[in-house]
Amino acid sequence: MNISSRTTERLVHVPLGDRAYDILIGPGLIGRAGGEITARLKGRRAAIVTDENVAPHYLEALMDSLQTDGIEAVSLTLPAGEKTKSLEHLATVTDMVLAARIERSDAVIALGGGVIGDLAGFAAGIVRRGVRFVQIPTTLLSQVDSSVGGKTGINTRHGKNLLGVFHQPDLVLADTSTLDTLSEREFRAGYAEVAKYGLIDKPEFFDWLEKNWRQVFAGGPERIEAIAVSCQAKADMVVEDERETGRRALLNLGHTFGHALEAATQYDSARLVHGEGVSIGMVLAHQFSARLNLASPDEAERVEAHLRAVGLPTRINDIAGELPPTERLIEAIAQDKKVKSGKLTFILTHGVGEAFIADDVPSSEVSSFLESKRSA
Ligand SMILES: NC(=O)c1ccc[n+]([C@@H]2O[C@H](COP(=O)([O-])OP(=O)(O)OC[C@H]3O[C@@H](n4cnc5c(N)ncnc54)[C@H](O)[C@@H]3O)[C@@H](O)[C@H]2O)c1
Ligand SMILES: [Zn+2]
């Protein structure tokens, strides 16, 4: 792979037939949103969904740009945070979209992180059986992961993301300038997902990140490059397996352990945010693979050293406060994954860039491994 350091904007095309779309990555895209949208969509109305942290920074600029290009837009600002991915807020959003007389050729626009993208995308997927959808992701996590691929949804009391539809966006505008107002902690959490693409099947990208992560954090051209490589990696996976019946599951590397840790902290973002759980989860996946003699322990050490260097948590014991007993973690893992006669599906690895899907992992092995890590 040739990773150059161009300052210019990047375009990743997602070739999904009649659902194909572009992802634009670069600074200042919100100021050009109107033009980019009118170039691609017929409708001239839009309903913007955003949250209270994002609106004060970017909503006005977006409204101005839409107006300049003749798009009539209304907006809805919701509370920030995971709790907003609820049925109640879905009702508020769909109601506002209908009140704005959004037709099928008009757009719902998500301006915010993955929470807003998942909620607004779900609304766009079900209003009038599907209206156009534009993602303007404003967190690193949403720029490299959730805004691409068409998974939308909300949480219920039975668990995360249990109601939702596949609804691909028609355009993704990843305005990298918005990351300047994101907290260091949220940026780092998103970085775990960037590193994930290297760990899955791009060892040369992981090498590059080890050398260039400081520039990625500092916001130079390397940041745009890292986001573009990540979007391309996700797009490739989505094009190969749009509805996750096979290979797309590799994107869950680190997520089985990570989700169990998120559940164990009751999704308390003060203790653990998603990307931090994924960071610990990816290290655990490498260590577990080493324990099963699938990979050298040096690989796990290398992964941990990098994630630690950027300031991410890498160990279960890095999580503040008490955690439930290991059996409860295993229950959470079993709930997250299909269990077939005591066997679990896991993303394991032969080393950096060599992840694979294993569907026959005995849950007893997972228990004894986790037990050993908690006392370590
Ligand atoms: N659909 C998918 O494929 C997919 C993939 C991964 C994650 N997700 C979902 O994404 C969600 C997590 O997304 P997230 O990490 O973006 O969380 P988020 O949307 O909650 O954003 C994190 C925090 O940053 C704030 N924020 C957002 N942009 C900002 C900016 N530019 N400046 C200042 N503050 C800003 C938000 O208000 C929030 O407080 C989860 O619900 C997860 O399930 C979905
Ligand atoms: Zn994730």
Side-chain angles (χ1 to χ4, degrees):
M1 183 172 39
N2 175 23
I3 298 177
S4 62
S5 43
R6 279 175 289 162
T7 40
T8 47
E9 193 173 293
R10 306 291 302 273
L11 185 150
V12 172
H13 183 67
V14 188
L16 278 172
D18 58 1
R19 295 180 308 292
Y21 55 97
D22 289 335
I23 307 165
L24 300 185
I25 302 148
L29 285 167
I30 287 178
R32 278 180 22 216
E36 297 298 342
I37 293 170
T38 49
R40 293 171 175 85
L41 302 186
K42 288 196 204 84
R44 288 297 173 262
R45 283 181 202 276
I48 304 166
V49 184
T50 187
D51 80 26
E52 63 200 5
N53 293 335
V54 177
H57 295 294
Y58 309 111
L59 182 57
E60 198 181 320
L62 176 59
M63 297 281 273
D64 285 351
S65 169
L66 297 178
Q67 195 181 20
T68 304
D69 284 279
I71 300 175
E72 200 182 312
V74 293
S75 71
L76 174 68
T77 301
L78 296 171
E82 187 68 30
K83 288 199 170 60
T84 296
K85 274 174 57 171
S86 67
L87 263 178
E88 186 198 340
H89 285 108
L90 179 70
T92 313
V93 174
T94 51
D95 202 50
M96 166 267 199
V97 172
L98 289 167
R101 292 185 290 127
I102 297 297
E103 301 286 342
R104 293 182 70 172
S105 60
D106 297 322
V108 168
I109 303 178
L111 173 69
V115 164
I116 292 299
D118 280 10
L119 174 70
F122 189 13
I126 60 177
V127 168
R128 301 184 197 282
R129 300 193 180 82
V131 300
R132 302 302 95 230
F133 179 41
V134 175
Q135 289 264 23
I136 308 187
T138 61
T139 61
L140 181 58
L141 183 137
S142 56
Q143 294 190 353
V144 300
D145 191 351
S146 62
S147 66
V148 178
K151 278 192 188 176
T152 74
I154 59 172
N155 308 324
T156 82
R157 69 185 169 84
H158 298 282
K160 267 194 74 162
N161 300 327
L162 292 179
L163 296 180
V165 294
F166 280 95
H167 188 61
Q168 296 291 345
D170 295 276
L171 173 66
V172 180
L173 297 174
D175 184 336
T176 52
S177 323
T178 62
L179 301 177
D180 295 342
T181 55
L182 192 65
S183 72
E184 178 89 7
R185 184 178 176 204
E186 290 290 354
F187 188 87
R188 240 188 250 127
Y191 183 86
E193 306 278 8
V194 173
K196 181 184 78 178
Y197 295 112
L199 295 176
I200 291 172
D201 62 358
K202 296 191 168 32
E204 69 284 19
F205 182 47
F206 192 77
D207 292 345
W208 183 87
L209 288 171
E210 284 177 318
K211 295 188 189 84
N212 293 283
W213 68 268
R214 284 183 188 79
Q215 292 90 312
V216 173
F217 275 70
E222 291 83 359
R223 177 182 284 181
I224 296 173
E225 189 64 34
I227 296 170
V229 172
S230 300
C231 287
Q232 185 69 60
K234 175 126 188 206
D236 290 347
M237 208 72 95
V238 167
V239 167
E240 202 178 317
D241 177 19
E242 188 178 358
R243 292 192 167 239
E244 196 173 318
T245 52
R247 213 177 128 73
R248 184 168 176 175
L250 287 173
L251 294 170
N252 296 326
L253 174 65
H255 281 61
T256 303
F257 288 124
H259 285 158
L261 296 171
E262 282 185 89
T265 55
Q266 282 97 40
Y267 303 95
D268 176 358
S269 61
R271 292 176 70 192
L272 194 72
V273 296
H274 175 75
E276 293 169 344
V278 170
S279 173
I280 300 173
M282 291 192 302
V283 173
L284 289 172
H286 281 76
Q287 290 170 337
F288 187 42
S289 301
R291 186 181 159 108
L292 298 173
N293 292 319
L294 295 163
S296 148
D298 298 349
E299 300 285 299
E301 275 172 34
R302 178 179 170 197
V303 174
E304 179 170 20
H306 178 57
L307 296 174
R308 227 171 228 298
V310 312
L312 279 162
T314 57
R315 297 179 188 173
I316 297 176
N317 295 338
D318 289 339
I319 303 170
E322 288 286 304
L323 287 175
T326 300
E327 306 91 78
R328 291 266 307 283
L329 294 179
I330 295 290
E331 278 166 30
I333 287 173
Q335 236 169 29
D336 195 57
K337 295 282 136 194
K338 280 210 186 79
V339 197
K340 287 188 207 126
S341 52
K343 306 270 172 123
L344 297 164
T345 299
F346 255 87
I347 310 305
L348 296 177
T349 184
H350 295 302
V352 169
E354 293 179 69
F356 64 95
I357 304 167
D359 56 12
D360 54 355
V361 179
S363 62
S364 56
E365 286 280 357
V366 185
S367 298
S368 54
F369 166 70
L370 277 179
E371 203 54 64
S372 75
K373 284 295 145 193
R374 298 189 66 174
S375 48

